[in-house]
Amino acid sequence: MTAGLGVTAPRKLTRIGTIDRPRTHDPRNQAPMTVPTNEPIGSATPNVTNIGANDSRQNRTREMQLIPEALARAHMHDRLREAEAERRAVRLVSARRMQRRAERASLRARRALAMAVMH
């Protein structure tokens, strides 16, 4: 194209983007990815689907939301075990106390019987 005096008119530069320097950073204006035509049919590179990624991300999010509940459940389980062990310890202490009291009462009764037999 020559404009008037033999000077070429400036052309609009259409720059092709590269991976390092894309033409635009807006994903809506970027060209869609195309499958290379020289790939054999049924090659080892399957088409990428986001369904699996979304499912795993959703699953991970669900698991992460349930972590505090699982921690609380484990904490409550530990507290219940501690409380049960404490109850067993209290029962054991009271049983030993009652046993000593019964032994003292038995000794008093034996002494009283011996005193009665001696008189």
Side-chain angles (χ1 to χ4, degrees), residues 1-2 8 17-18 48-49 57 73 81:
M1 295 173 108
T2 58
T8 57
T18 62
V48 177
T49 60
R57 189 174 297 121
R73 192 177 296 116
R81 264 192 302 125

Side-chain angles (χ1 to χ4, degrees), residues 2-114:
T2 58
L5 302 170
V7 179
T8 57
R11 285 185 299 163
K12 182 179 177 184
L13 295 175
T14 57
R15 190 177 74 188
I16 298 173
T18 62
I19 292 175
D20 292 332
R21 293 173 187 252
R23 186 172 62 178
T24 176
H25 290 285
D26 187 8
R28 289 173 296 186
N29 294 337
Q30 290 177 358
M33 290 184 65
T34 58
V35 178
T37 56
N38 59 357
E39 286 271 337
I41 297 174
S43 67
T45 57
N47 290 337
V48 177
T49 60
N50 290 337
I51 296 171
N54 285 338
D55 284 349
S56 70
R57 189 174 297 121
Q58 184 70 24
N59 216 4
R60 202 172 333 131
T61 303
R62 193 175 302 120
E63 287 171 7
M64 290 176 73
Q65 286 173 348
L66 294 178
I67 285 174
E69 186 178 335
L71 284 173
R73 192 177 296 116
H75 183 68
M76 284 301 296
H77 182 69
D78 290 344
R79 298 283 300 192
L80 285 172
R81 264 192 302 125
E82 289 172 10
E84 184 60 36
E86 183 72 23
R87 280 194 290 268
R88 279 196 305 263
V90 167
R91 269 191 246 130
L92 181 63
V93 167
S94 65
R96 286 183 178 161
R97 188 180 303 132
M98 284 192 275
Q99 182 182 6
R100 286 193 300 267
R101 188 179 296 163
E103 287 172 357
R104 284 194 304 266
S106 172
L107 282 174
R108 278 196 307 270
R110 190 176 294 166
R111 279 193 208 115
L113 182 61

